Amino acid sequence: MLANPNNGRLHCPKPSQFLHPQRPKCFLFPNCPRSPCFTSKSKFCNLSLLLPRKSGKGFGIRALAEPGVSTNGPQGYPPPYSVKIPVGDRHILVETGHIGRQASASVTVTDGETIVYTSVCLADVPSEPSDFFPLSVHYQERFSAAGRTSGGFFKREGRAKDHEVLICRLIDRPLRPTMLNGFYHETQILSWVLSYDGLHSPDSLAVTAAGIAVALSEVPNSKTIAGVRVGLIGDKFIVNPTTKEMEDSELDLLLAGTDNAILMIEGYCDFLPEEKLLQAVEVGQEAVRAICNEVEALVKKCGKAKMLDAIKLPPPELYNHVEEIAGDELVRALQIRDKIPRRKALLSLEGEVLTILTEKGFVSKDAALGGSETIPDIFEDEDEDEEVVVDGEVDEGDVHIKPSLPKSTPLFFSEVDVKLVFKEVTSKFLRRRIVEGGRRSDGRSPDEIRPINSKCGLLPRAHGSALFTRGETQSLAVVTLGDKQMAQRIDNLVGVDEWKRFYLQYTFPPSCVGEVGRNGAPSRREIGHGMLAERALEPILPSEDDFPYTVRVESTITESNGSSSMASVCGGCLALQDAGVPIKCSIVGIAMGMVLETEEFGGDGAPLILSDITGSEDASGDMDFKVAGNEDGVTAFQMDIKVSGITLPVMREALLQAKNGRKHIIAEMLKCSPPPSRTLSKYAPLIHIMKVKPEKVNLIIGSGGKKVKSIIEETGVDAIDTQEDGIVKITARDLASIEKSKAIIINLTMVPTIGDIYRNCEIKSIAPYGVFVEIAPGREGLCHISELSSNWLAKAEDAFKVGDHIDVKLIEVNEKGQLRLSHRALLPDTDPEKASAKQPTGDAKDVVGSQETSEKGLPKKMISIRKGDLAENISSPKNNTAENTLLPQKKFIRRLVTPAKDRPNINKDKTKKSSSEVVNSVSSNGENTLVNGEANIG
């Protein structure tokens, strides 16, 4: 049988007939003399030898070019096709056949200017049989979609971000129930955001794109799915609201389903009543139904035939064998209440069933998959003429197979089939026990909650801790409080930095189920459960103005037997109270289950809703519905359906039963012993908030952050956070540090008044033109040499030194906020007019006019230098005269001096000035001004 040259893949009408041979073959290269296909007639061997062969395992051949599929496009590809589908108040554009034509199916879905591209591919050869459908989903938001690149060191997109992982789960969860059992070809869904306009969210679009791509592909599925988002603004429900509309929405609901059932919902709200939630689900279901109907028409036009022949189910006879062997023992094992003993009993019973079937000759390790079908041998007959393959006749990947006549072999069951059937039979017996006997594995009734025990304050050094135990599920929750530096930064497509001041991290180690397993980076399940618990607790947190802390909650699952994410909600709520977080109310969570087809086990046919399900009920049941909230409403919910879907009446019943369960859990949590402390831990940081004028914020920060760093180093606080609106947050471990930094900031940002007198102020540094005096911690002003004394001074060092304390008066505040001080104004018996005539004040007129009075007390050389400096600075911007170097110059270092108790010293800057700067300032401004930058605060 020749392969189809158009697509380079095998065309096999009955792939189920091609199974592995019983005897091994020798695989050799075609040109090797030992090869059985080496002949002088053929250049190539029969490529059937290159097929993967594993002893005792069957394989299916993938067929792509099925009859009836249109191949009118270029190179045999289906022609491009596009369709507009109404969704809410606008349309989405679905296109296929344009991009990714070598994939099994690919589509682009456009909403506004947001474009999502999704492809579906599947392996040519089936993988090992398993009870878990081999589906992998990868979703990526490329920064180029928004016209930007990553802000990190690596510019290429790498590991998936948390929100991308969450969207992967949103795509995977509704698709998996629609996949048919027995299909073992590995399937991969890749989804990329190629364009993003900032208004139309890509997550719901990606769910719909994946559902359409699977429907168009060869993957056998039962129904077409689609997804939409529903928001609530006022009393109006909006389908696929924009990001701006979602800012005012009370509800964030993402729903996926088929044309007649709901498969997955996930959402968050602010204590929304159950009836409102049901109305939102109904609106979303109508939108999903409209999309699915349009997609069905699209599939009829350009969809590919499904690979139904590749489905391999265990033979029906095996179910009878397993039930006969394990029936009574299985009933007794399912009555064991504790999880670990019950699991060990079931594993032992499974081994016994396998042993008995092997002894009876029904199971062989070399048995081929296929059940009661005959098993043909595929081998190379050396005596027959071989097909000659000419170069260029077929593309790579084409295989020529010459099947032999089928040879019957005894009926065998594979070990994998036995294990799969045993698991299905166990689920069947468990469901029967619940429906017929009205009792679950642990003896509870359908609406009964497991025993609850909780206590707080386990960890003395943690800011808050709680241990919540419900049956065999246990969560250790720990709360850590911090400042803004502890907030989590989110890098998104919009390009605006987003900081999360509350986040919950969920950890599920293998030890919590008594197993050995992988321990490393968080799994997709851990990220999803953590986000669900985080969004459930978020509505009860105080605002940042009322509680300025960043809050981190860690939930470590120490025991697990179902509902661990909801245990994280309960434990997290207690830990928040123990940490002193003023939450609005208590929040709890519960997981609901369901047995749908009860008439099979003697029931009345109505679905049976289970409260607080265990792990086995989750695995064997038809629904996992997690609901968090209080008596008044719901804050978070997540539902996964494992069958064809549920209807609104069933969901209404589950929500009402979950409400009764939440009331019971809240009452049990009030019995917590020891109770939460409800006060801040002595080990928690202190945060002081103060308000300054917005224009004064830069004074606190200083040049390059020098001032704020010096304050932190001087006072010992952990951090000082400033905002543009003038809000300043000081974080420290003790109150004394906060008071020190608070005093410095107050003095830095105060508005001094001309005429104010400051006593006992320290001289911080000395320059040729005067001294810098600290009038308050961190606040300095210039006392010019003319204002230091009533007598004439040649140098400030002649009368003062660094560290001296003097009284000063504020005489001027310039436009830059620089302060000019006077010590002379406070001296007794001072004649200001006489002193002013004798002492230069710093401007050009003073320097020239003081020559006559100065000649008596100064050498001629000094006078000539000052005249020369003045003349040169007027004529030229350069000041390189030889006389300049003769002026006394010193390098004054501002060093730390033990501060007064109420005025800590924080200035560590170094100052170096020369007399030329005085003349420069004088000549350029023509008036008496402060030296550039010297009195700048910070």
Side-chain angles (χ1 to χ4, degrees):
M1 178 170 51
L2 291 177
N4 188 343
N6 289 332
N7 53 19
R9 300 182 186 272
L10 287 173
H11 175 69
C12 179
K14 295 182 179 179
S16 61
Q17 294 181 359
F18 295 93
L19 303 172
H20 285 297
Q22 293 292 318
R23 61 181 185 272
K25 286 286 184 179
C26 177
F27 296 96
L28 298 174
F29 292 99
N31 294 330
C32 177
R34 293 177 57 195
S35 173
C37 62
F38 178 77
T39 63
S40 59
K41 300 179 182 179
S42 175
K43 186 176 180 180
F44 300 97
C45 71
N46 190 313
L47 298 182
S48 62
L49 294 178
L50 300 181
L51 286 175
R53 303 189 181 193
K54 295 182 180 179
S55 177
K57 297 182 176 62
F59 66 94
I61 305 299
R62 179 181 171 196
L64 291 185
E66 292 84 357
V69 177
S70 173
T71 58
N72 297 327
Q75 301 178 4
Y77 293 117
Y81 193 86
S82 61
V83 61
K84 285 188 176 181
I85 300 176
V87 180
D89 58 353
R90 57 185 184 272
H91 290 74
I92 62 173
L93 176 64
V94 178
E95 298 174 283
T96 184
H98 296 271
I99 306 176
R101 295 174 299 175
Q102 295 187 31
S104 179
S106 63
V107 297
T108 57
V109 181
T110 304
D111 185 8
E113 292 183 345
T114 298
I115 302 176
V116 176
Y117 165 71
T118 301
S119 64
V120 177
C121 291
L122 59 156
D124 294 330
V125 178
S127 57
E128 296 269 348
S130 171
D131 61 336
F132 196 75
F133 184 79
L135 172 66
S136 61
V137 179
H138 301 273
Y139 169 89
Q140 187 178 71
E141 294 179 352
R142 298 193 168 178
F143 286 100
S144 59
R148 56 186 296 262
T149 58
S150 173
F153 179 78
F154 298 101
K155 299 303 179 185
R156 181 169 182 166
E157 287 83 356
R159 186 175 66 90
K161 305 177 186 65
D162 283 0
H163 73 279
E164 291 175 332
V165 171
L166 296 173
I167 297 176
C168 287
R169 287 171 53 84
L170 292 176
I171 297 172
D172 182 285
R173 284 157 46 200
L175 279 174
R176 198 169 290 278
T178 65
M179 301 300 184
L180 300 183
N181 293 331
F183 186 76
Y184 301 123
H185 290 259
E186 185 176 354
T187 305
Q188 185 180 57
I189 298 176
L190 301 179
S191 185
W192 293 284
V193 179
L194 301 183
S195 177
Y196 179 58
D197 58 8
L199 288 177
H200 305 93
S201 298
D203 49 2
S204 59
L205 215 59
V207 176
T208 299
I212 297 174
V214 170
L216 294 173
S217 72
E218 304 148 294
V219 180
N221 64 326
S222 58
K223 284 283 189 176
T224 300
I225 74 153
V228 296
R229 169 176 269 106
V230 179
L232 176 60
I233 301 177
D235 292 329
K236 182 181 179 182
F237 293 101
I238 301 177
V239 177
N240 279 1
T242 63
T243 54
K244 288 185 178 180
E245 291 173 329
M246 284 301 299
E247 294 175 359
D248 301 324
S249 177
E250 303 175 31
L251 170 68
D252 182 7
L253 167 65
L254 202 144
L255 179 144
T258 64
D259 58 351
N260 59 2
I262 304 166
L263 291 174
M264 184 272 296
I265 63 171
E266 180 165 334
Y268 314 100
C269 47
D270 192 2
F271 300 101
L272 198 68
E274 282 78 3
E275 286 301 323
K276 279 283 187 182
L277 179 58
L278 288 170
Q279 293 175 18
V281 172
E282 187 174 5
V283 171
Q285 175 62 19
E286 289 295 327
V288 167
R289 181 181 294 114
I291 297 175
C292 290
N293 292 335
E294 294 289 339
V295 174
E296 289 293 341
L298 175 65
V299 171
K300 291 179 181 179
K301 293 181 179 180
C302 52
K304 294 182 179 179
K306 300 297 182 180
M307 294 175 59
L308 298 177
D309 288 343
I311 296 177
K312 301 298 175 187
L313 295 173
E317 297 85 354
L318 184 55
Y319 290 87
N320 298 329
H321 287 300
V322 172
E323 289 191 21
E324 290 174 3
I325 297 173
D328 297 335
E329 291 293 331
L330 191 56
V331 171
R332 284 191 287 271
L334 291 176
Q335 292 176 355
I336 301 175
R337 295 196 174 191
D338 296 333
K339 174 185 174 180
I340 299 299
R342 182 171 63 250
R343 186 183 68 188
K344 292 182 177 180
L346 291 175
L347 285 175
S348 176
L349 182 57
E350 181 186 69
E352 291 180 12
V353 171
L354 193 60
T355 301
I356 293 174
L357 289 175
T358 302
E359 291 174 352
K360 291 183 178 181
F362 289 106
V363 175
S364 172
K365 292 185 178 180
D366 295 331
L369 182 66
S372 59
E373 295 186 9
T374 59
I375 304 173
D377 277 338
I378 301 179
F379 63 93
E380 181 64 36
D381 191 350
E382 298 178 7
D383 297 331
E384 294 185 8
D385 294 335
E386 296 188 7
E387 296 287 340
V388 177
V389 182
V390 182
D391 286 341
E393 178 181 346
V394 292
D395 196 1
E396 64 176 1
D398 292 312
V399 181
H400 296 261
I401 299 177
K402 186 180 290 297
S404 64
L405 295 175
K407 297 181 181 180
S408 299
T409 57
L411 179 65
F412 285 118
F413 303 128
S414 68
E415 286 189 27
V416 176
D417 278 346
V418 174
K419 293 180 179 181
L420 291 176
V421 170
F422 182 82
K423 183 174 182 178
E424 292 185 31
V425 172
T426 301
S427 298
K428 178 181 177 181
F429 274 55
L430 178 62
R431 294 158 66 93
R432 177 181 296 161
R433 169 182 167 82
I434 295 173
V435 175
E436 291 182 354
R439 291 289 169 182
R440 294 144 78 174
S441 293
D442 52 6
R444 289 182 293 147
S445 60
D447 60 349
E448 189 176 350
I449 310 296
R450 289 175 288 178
I452 294 174
N453 180 33
S454 55
K455 52 184 177 180
C456 294
L458 284 79
L459 309 177
R461 298 289 298 194
H463 300 162
S465 59
L467 183 68
F468 178 84
T469 307
R470 178 165 51 196
E472 293 179 298
T473 298
Q474 188 178 76
S475 168
L476 175 62
V478 180
V479 170
T480 306
L481 304 178
D483 59 356
K484 185 179 179 180
Q485 295 179 355
M486 203 179 81
Q488 186 176 23
R489 181 177 179 271
I490 306 298
D491 197 3
N492 52 34
L493 285 178
V494 181
V496 179
D497 287 341
E498 180 182 350
W499 297 88
K500 289 175 62 175
R501 56 179 294 265
F502 170 68
Y503 49 96
L504 188 147
Q505 296 170 337
Y506 168 98
T507 305
F508 191 90
S511 60
C512 70
V513 290
E515 296 178 356
V516 176
R518 165 188 168 276
N519 189 27
S523 64
R524 291 187 172 189
R525 179 181 178 274
E526 289 175 315
I527 294 174
H529 282 20
M531 178 55 67
L532 178 63
E534 175 184 314
R535 296 292 295 271
L537 292 171
E538 198 169 12
I540 65 173
L541 293 177
S543 65
E544 188 174 2
D545 295 335
D546 297 332
F547 194 73
Y549 289 90
T550 295
V551 183
R552 178 195 183 200
V553 180
E554 296 172 89
S555 175
T556 303
I557 306 302
T558 51
E559 297 179 19
S560 178
N561 189 14
S563 305
S564 61
S565 61
M566 296 296 97
S568 299
V569 174
C570 300
C573 180
L574 289 172
L576 287 171
Q577 298 177 61
D578 189 57
V581 180
I583 61 174
K584 300 174 183 177
C585 60
S586 293
I587 290 292
V588 299
I590 187 172
M592 311 297 293
M594 179 184 66
V595 179
L596 190 59
E597 299 174 353
T598 56
E599 66 276 4
E600 180 182 354
F601 310 111
D604 57 1
L608 181 62
I609 307 298
L610 307 176
S611 296
D612 186 24
I613 57 175
T614 62
S616 59
E617 293 166 346
D618 184 6
S620 302
D622 300 322
M623 179 182 73
D624 181 13
F625 190 9
K626 303 178 179 71
V627 186
N630 61 1
E631 305 97 325
D632 300 325
V634 177
T635 59
F637 49 91
Q638 183 184 92
M639 183 182 71
D640 294 316
I641 302 299
K642 303 170 186 178
V643 289
S644 57
I646 64 170
T647 57
L648 283 173
V650 176
M651 188 175 172
R652 176 178 285 104
E653 182 181 353
L655 281 172
L656 295 178
Q657 191 167 321
K659 184 176 183 179
N660 295 330
R662 294 199 306 273
K663 291 180 180 179
H664 173 78
I665 297 171
I666 290 176
E668 292 297 315
M669 283 174 54
L670 292 176
K671 303 175 184 178
C672 177
S673 178
S677 65
R678 301 181 188 276
T679 58
L680 281 178
S681 168
K682 62 181 180 180
Y683 301 111
L686 302 176
I687 297 181
H688 176 77
I689 302 177
M690 57 189 301
K691 175 78 173 178
V692 301
K693 291 185 177 181
E695 61 270 16
K696 299 291 184 180
V697 172
N698 289 334
L699 299 178
I700 303 173
I701 299 173
S703 176
K706 290 182 180 180
K707 177 57 66 177
V708 70
K709 290 177 182 177
S710 67
I711 297 175
I712 293 173
E713 183 180 352
E714 173 71 20
T715 61
V717 298
D718 293 340
I720 297 177
D721 178 44
T722 59
Q723 300 177 8
E724 294 181 356
D725 58 356
I727 297 295
V728 180
K729 297 180 181 178
I730 307 171
T731 305
R733 296 289 172 178
D734 56 87
L735 191 59
S737 299
I738 289 182
E739 291 298 331
K740 286 182 181 180
S741 58
K742 178 182 173 183
I744 294 175
I745 293 174
I746 289 176
N747 291 322
L748 278 175
T749 57
M750 71 177 181
V751 181
T753 305
I754 295 176
D756 289 347
I757 298 174
Y758 302 93
R759 303 289 183 181
N760 197 30
C761 299
E762 183 181 359
I763 296 177
K764 306 302 292 184
S765 63
I766 299 178
Y769 45 81
V771 297
F772 286 92
V773 182
E774 185 181 55
I775 63 173
R779 193 71 183 269
E780 296 180 7
L782 173 64
C783 185
H784 194 268
I785 191 171
S786 61
E787 298 292 341
L788 282 175
S789 174
S790 56
N791 300 321
W792 184 88
L793 289 177
K795 295 185 296 183
E797 293 96 323
D798 295 341
F800 303 98
K801 62 180 182 295
V802 174
D804 287 350
H805 291 75
I806 60 175
D807 297 337
V808 292
K809 180 179 181 179
L810 181 61
I811 59 176
E812 182 183 350
V813 180
N814 67 6
E815 295 178 353
K816 297 181 179 180
Q818 297 167 333
L819 309 180
R820 184 176 179 184
L821 307 172
S822 174
H823 175 62
R824 186 187 62 180
L826 300 179
L827 295 178
D829 301 327
T830 300
D831 187 354
E833 296 180 359
K834 182 179 179 181
S836 177
K838 293 183 179 181
Q839 181 72 23
T841 59
D843 57 17
K845 186 182 297 184
D846 288 339
V847 174
V848 176
S850 63
Q851 291 175 16
E852 295 181 0
T853 58
S854 301
E855 287 176 357
K856 296 180 181 180
L858 282 178
K860 297 283 184 180
K861 191 174 184 180
M862 179 67 74
I863 300 172
S864 64
I865 288 172
R866 291 186 177 177
K867 290 180 180 179
D869 286 347
L870 180 61
E872 182 171 353
N873 279 281
I874 293 174
S875 60
S876 172
K878 298 181 180 180
N879 189 11
N880 297 324
T881 59
E883 291 85 356
N884 241 349
T885 60
L886 300 177
L887 282 175
Q889 298 185 15
K890 279 193 177 181
K891 181 178 181 181
F892 292 94
I893 301 177
R894 300 183 184 179
R895 54 187 175 81
L896 276 177
V897 181
T898 304
K901 189 173 184 180
D902 59 342
R903 283 199 295 265
N905 170 36
I906 60 170
N907 198 328
K908 298 182 181 180
D909 295 340
K910 297 182 179 181
T911 304
K912 181 179 180 181
K913 295 293 176 180
S914 65
S915 61
S916 62
E917 295 173 347
V918 181
V919 183
N920 272 324
S921 176
V922 171
S923 60
S924 60
N925 297 329
E927 59 182 3
N928 192 8
T929 59
L930 299 179
V931 179
N932 293 337
E934 284 302 319
N936 278 335
I937 303 305

